[in-house]
Structure formats: structure tokens, C-alpha cells
Amino acid sequence: MERLIDEELEQIIRTAERDEMEDPIEADVVLALQQAAHKICYVKKYYDVMKDEFLFFPSVAKTIMSYDLMEEADKYYYEEEDELPIDVSAGLRSVATPIAAEEDVDEEYLSALAADVEWQDEGVCMVASI
């Protein structure tokens, strides 16, 4: 799952750097975003009976839009009082907006029915609670 998170985050970062920002995002900011994304993205699991598939959420784009990713990344960025640069947040949100809008997941509804999951090494999913 970490690979999926890293790929989704990298795509959003590269698009933001290309289309929304003047300078590349610093490596320490990217690292803080990755650490935060690994902790808060795709931590809910819902089984869709109609489609016979599992849905994992929230996505990286949704956590950017809700600002949850930025708040979590602040914890990994230098000291406690330091915050991620505002231009990074704005650039990522500009790119994540259309991506999140395309997602067809009603997270509010599904959250009541979903199980919390923890990701272990090699992408093994462990159900933490139902």
C-alpha cells in the first residue's frame, strides 16, 4: 500500500511543481508528506457487496483537500512549531481538487460501516476494528 500512496503523492507533487509552483518542493517537505500519507491514507476498508470488492479510503487527494495531510505532515516537518510552506499547500490543493472530485466514494457514509486497518510490511492488511 505504501507504494500506491507514494505513487499517488508523487504524481500530485510533480503536477503541482510543473503547473502551480515556481520552485520544486524541497526534499524535507516531500519526506514529511510521505510519512504523513503513510499514516493517514487508506486506513479504512469497506467491502462493497454489489461490486464484490474492497474499497480503501481516504485517498491522498482527499486528505490533501480536507487539509488532514498537511496537518499530519506538520508533525514530521522540522520542529513542532514549524509548518509546511503555504505555497506547497496551495499548489497541492489546486492539483488534488479535480482528482478528489472524480472519486466516487462517499466517505462519510462508508466510514460508519468501514473497518479500521493497519498496514504491515509487504502490504499485508490487518483489521484493527470493525
Side-chain angles (χ1 to χ4, degrees):
M1 188 55 72
E2 285 186 1
R3 194 173 91 227
L4 172 69
I5 291 170
D6 289 344
E7 289 171 2
E8 187 177 347
L9 180 61
E10 182 178 341
Q11 177 188 8
I12 292 170
I13 288 171
R14 298 299 161 238
T15 304
E17 287 176 332
R18 184 187 69 231
D19 299 342
E20 303 293 332
M21 305 181 69
E22 294 178 15
D23 297 317
I25 298 173
E26 295 177 12
D28 53 343
V29 174
V30 172
L31 182 60
L33 289 166
Q34 285 176 328
Q35 290 173 316
H38 291 170
K39 185 169 182 174
I40 67 168
C41 294
Y42 300 109
V43 294
K44 295 280 190 181
K45 176 172 94 170
Y46 171 77
Y47 178 68
D48 187 336
V49 179
M50 301 302 279
K51 295 181 181 178
D52 191 29
E53 67 182 14
F54 284 101
L55 300 173
F56 292 92
F57 63 95
S59 68
V60 174
K62 290 273 182 151
T63 60
I64 290 171
M65 292 307 304
S66 68
Y67 208 72
D68 291 340
L69 184 63
M70 306 315 169
E71 289 177 352
E72 187 66 28
D74 282 340
K75 297 175 185 175
Y76 301 100
Y77 184 65
Y78 291 118
E79 300 296 323
E80 190 172 316
E81 65 275 353
D82 292 324
E83 293 184 359
L84 295 176
I86 193 71
D87 62 326
V88 170
S89 176
L92 294 177
R93 286 174 60 91
S94 292
V95 173
T97 299
I99 295 169
E102 289 180 11
E103 293 178 7
D104 188 27
V105 176
D106 183 358
E107 291 178 10
E108 190 172 320
Y109 170 75
L110 295 182
S111 289
L113 305 170
D116 294 330
V117 295
E118 286 184 35
W119 293 101
Q120 306 295 324
D121 293 336
E122 304 300 321
V124 175
C125 171
M126 304 297 293
V127 176
S129 66
I130 298 179

